[in-house]
Amino acid sequence: MPGPPVTTAPGVKVRVVTLKINEHDIGARETDSILDVAQANHIRIPSLCFLEGLSTWGACRLCVVEIEGYPRPVSACSTTVSEGMVITTHSDRLKRYRRTILELLFAERNHVCSVCVSNGHCELQDLAAECGMDHVRVPYRNQPYAIDSTHEMYRVDHNRCVLCTRCVRVCDEIEGAHTWDVKGRGIECQVITDLNQPWGDSSSCTSCGKCVQVCPTGALVKKGTAAGEMEKHDEFLPYLAQMRGNQ
Amino acid sequence: MSESAKITMATAWLDGCSGCHMSFLDLDQRLIELAEKVDIVYSPIVDTKELPGDVDVGILEGAVSTEENLQVAKMFRERCKYLISLGDCAVSGNVPSMRNTFDLDEVFDRAFVETVQAQPGRPTESLPTLLRTVVPIHHVVNVDLFVQGCPPSADTIWYVLTELIAGRTPDPTQITRFGA
Ligand code: SF4
Ligand code: SF4
Ligand code: SF4
């Protein structure tokens, strides 16, 4: 896993570079990612696995952008800017790619938004709307995934998981418990607690709930929530990340 | 506008809860305005038994879950110039598709044996043959427009129909989404 977001140590000189995003001239620090720079300049690039305050993972590929002279699109979250870059964030090709990624995510597990606790408060659902994904062209896999309700307060429903690893990163990097991890490859891939034991039996989990709050979908939820009731709050994260960084 | 200039419209209800048709009826007084421009030639809300051979706009609610649903979807595609998938069941399979992760035998037992007190047992007649998996309409026939929502709101339906009547192609993604 890559390290935490780059922070500049005092006394280290960081050069300023100039680049273009969607025809706009922009100045940025050479250590910034394309996504950082875009966000700072109010240019929206869709993303799912990225979360400010956590290390960069670059798994979902929704933040793909085109850079002039590069043979293929790159992920904006994990590519740093450089002098003279000419970046496009919303070409027809990129829109097509994003839509396809979303369709594959919806087809892989069992997303039925109308009965999901996160209905109306889900980043995946919002992204589908934002990217104009109004139907899934590939066949649905219809694989049953487990639900683990053994934790006293929380539940994990793998049917809604998009494997963004936000839970893994927040529990490791911010809470320091490292309860979550990932097992398996490809479609067998799944987040696990401790050594693939029921979450309720976990000896490392402090029940802080950070993983639940940063999970973008209805995969990690508070128990006792009905359809549409699970609202997430991850605003605390950049602040906590900064505090951890200062220690 | 003369009677003959009216757009003809047909609707059917496959494996869904009829919520999309209820939402359609929620157009309330706008139904009168609609009736001036549209003739509903076949639908659960009118008394025609046969789908005419040449319909302008077909609207399907519900997923494809049975052999019968499949026939209706194909018939709509053949006879309607423009076919709309209305609602999450039609567009994604939604709640009816939740049976897909179970064995069909388990599904039958759940519905007709385990949860039934009076005369439990699988019926032997009048039961349409279930398909192994529930699929969205566009996985069996081509669909021209997808309207998400469970159900799509009356305002969404109004927007879609008035745009079509005006000769434009509606883009419902701006006002509805999965689960809306
Ligand atoms: S997690 Fe999000 S996308 Fe998946 S079913 Fe729930 S609301 Fe829909
Ligand atoms: S509740 Fe806290 S400690 Fe437990 S798994 Fe989630 S982030 Fe880690
Ligand atoms: S459980 Fe939630 S946060 Fe964790 S990987 Fe799955 S979707 Fe991401």
Side-chain angles (χ1 to χ4, degrees):
Chain A
M1 196 177 279
V6 183
T7 48
T8 317
V12 176
K13 283 213 180 97
V14 176
R15 279 196 312 146
V16 168
V17 294
T18 55
L19 62 144
K20 263 189 202 294
I21 304 183
N22 302 341
E23 318 268 299
H24 295 290
D25 288 312
I26 285 168
R29 299 187 310 170
E30 62 177 352
T31 48
D32 288 342
S33 73
I34 296 173
L35 190 62
D36 291 334
V37 177
Q39 283 176 347
N41 287 278
H42 309 291
I43 298 166
R44 161 94 184 142
I45 300 177
S47 64
L48 183 58
C49 69
F50 176 83
L51 197 59
E52 191 189 339
L54 298 181
S55 62
T56 302
W57 190 231
C60 75
R61 268 18 218 183
L62 278 169
C63 69
V64 278
V65 294
E66 282 165 353
I67 303 174
E68 217 173 80
Y70 280 47
R72 61 186 71 88
V74 300
S75 54
C77 68
S78 60
T79 308
T80 40
V81 291
S82 62
E83 180 60 39
M85 264 185 181
V86 179
I87 297 161
T88 307
T89 63
H90 282 79
S91 67
D92 286 346
R93 174 167 75 148
L94 293 173
K95 287 192 219 163
R96 212 169 61 233
Y97 286 177
R98 287 194 187 114
R99 193 196 147 135
T100 305
I101 292 168
L102 288 163
E103 286 179 47
L104 293 170
L105 285 173
F106 272 88
E108 182 170 310
R109 306 217 173 179
N110 305 307
H111 292 274
V112 180
C113 298
S114 57
V115 293
C116 179
V117 292
S118 281
N119 186 13
H121 315 284
C122 171
E123 291 182 41
L124 181 64
Q125 189 185 39
D126 289 347
L127 281 164
E130 178 184 345
C131 299
M133 193 221 88
D134 61 353
H135 67 286
V136 173
R137 289 165 294 184
V138 295
Y140 288 92
R141 284 186 63 242
N142 296 315
Q143 287 299 308
Y145 287 88
I147 297 172
D148 179 357
S149 276
T150 55
H151 193 286
E152 205 186 340
M153 293 188 287
Y154 312 121
R155 180 170 56 237
V156 52
D157 179 352
H158 295 281
N159 293 287
R160 317 288 198 201
C161 176
V162 291
L163 299 165
C164 66
T165 74
R166 284 189 190 181
C167 54
V168 181
R169 286 173 285 154
V170 81
C171 187
D172 176 35
E173 295 164 17
I174 306 294
E175 179 59 8
H178 201 134
T179 301
W180 290 103
D181 232 311
V182 181
K183 73 153 189 180
R185 303 179 74 90
I187 53 170
E188 303 293 327
C189 198
Q190 196 174 308
V191 287
I192 51 169
T193 39
D194 283 357
L195 293 170
N196 201 13
Q197 282 137 348
W199 194 0
D201 294 346
S202 168
S203 52
S204 61
C205 175
T206 64
S207 301
C208 69
K210 290 187 181 70
C211 54
V212 175
Q213 296 304 330
V214 301
C215 174
T217 68
L220 292 182
V221 299
K222 275 195 289 206
K223 282 183 164 179
T225 43
E229 282 185 357
M230 186 67 226
E231 283 186 53
K232 308 280 177 91
H233 294 282
D234 56 23
E235 310 83 50
F236 66 91
L237 194 60
Y239 175 74
L240 280 188
Q242 200 183 356
M243 290 298 118
R244 291 281 309 205
N246 289 345
Q247 274 174 19
Chain B
M1 200 183 273
S2 70
E3 277 292 303
S4 58
K6 280 187 174 184
I7 288 175
T8 54
M9 196 171 106
T11 80
W13 161 21
L14 310 184
D15 192 2
C17 71
S18 91
C20 299
H21 275 88
M22 294 302 124
S23 221
F24 177 72
L25 292 178
D26 277 344
L27 288 174
D28 298 334
Q29 74 276 13
R30 287 176 288 189
L31 284 169
I32 297 166
E33 205 180 314
L34 193 67
E36 287 164 6
K37 293 168 184 146
V38 168
D39 254 340
I40 300 185
V41 292
Y42 177 89
S43 167
I45 57 173
V46 299
D47 196 24
T48 329
K49 303 282 184 270
E50 278 279 322
L51 179 68
D54 188 10
V55 183
D56 292 321
V57 179
I59 300 181
L60 289 177
E61 166 192 336
V64 178
S65 184
T66 64
E67 288 288 351
E68 193 207 354
N69 295 157
L70 188 60
Q71 300 312 325
V72 175
K74 285 182 176 165
M75 187 168 71
F76 261 65
R77 180 65 283 180
E78 272 167 28
R79 301 188 187 178
C80 303
K81 284 198 207 86
Y82 196 83
L83 188 61
I84 300 178
S85 246
L86 183 68
D88 280 356
C89 297
V91 174
S92 74
N94 201 32
V95 173
S97 73
M98 289 171 79
R99 77 158 159 88
N100 288 352
T101 55
F102 299 96
D103 190 72
L104 265 192
D105 273 333
E106 287 177 75
V107 173
F108 278 119
D109 282 345
R110 188 73 174 173
F112 295 110
V113 182
E114 291 164 25
T115 53
V116 175
Q117 279 169 350
Q119 297 175 313
R122 288 193 204 175
T124 48
E125 54 191 48
S126 309
L127 192 67
T129 313
L130 290 195
L131 302 174
R132 170 65 197 91
T133 45
V134 177
V135 287
I137 312 275
H138 67 277
H139 284 196
V140 295
V141 293
N142 281 334
V143 165
D144 300 303
L145 186 73
F146 300 86
V147 187
Q148 300 154 298
C150 184
S153 66
D155 286 346
T156 302
I157 296 173
W158 180 247
Y159 161 77
V160 166
L161 295 181
T162 49
E163 286 290 290
L164 281 177
I165 291 166
R168 293 185 289 263
T169 305
D171 176 12
T173 60
Q174 301 307 308
I175 49 172
T176 188
R177 54 164 170 76
F178 286 122

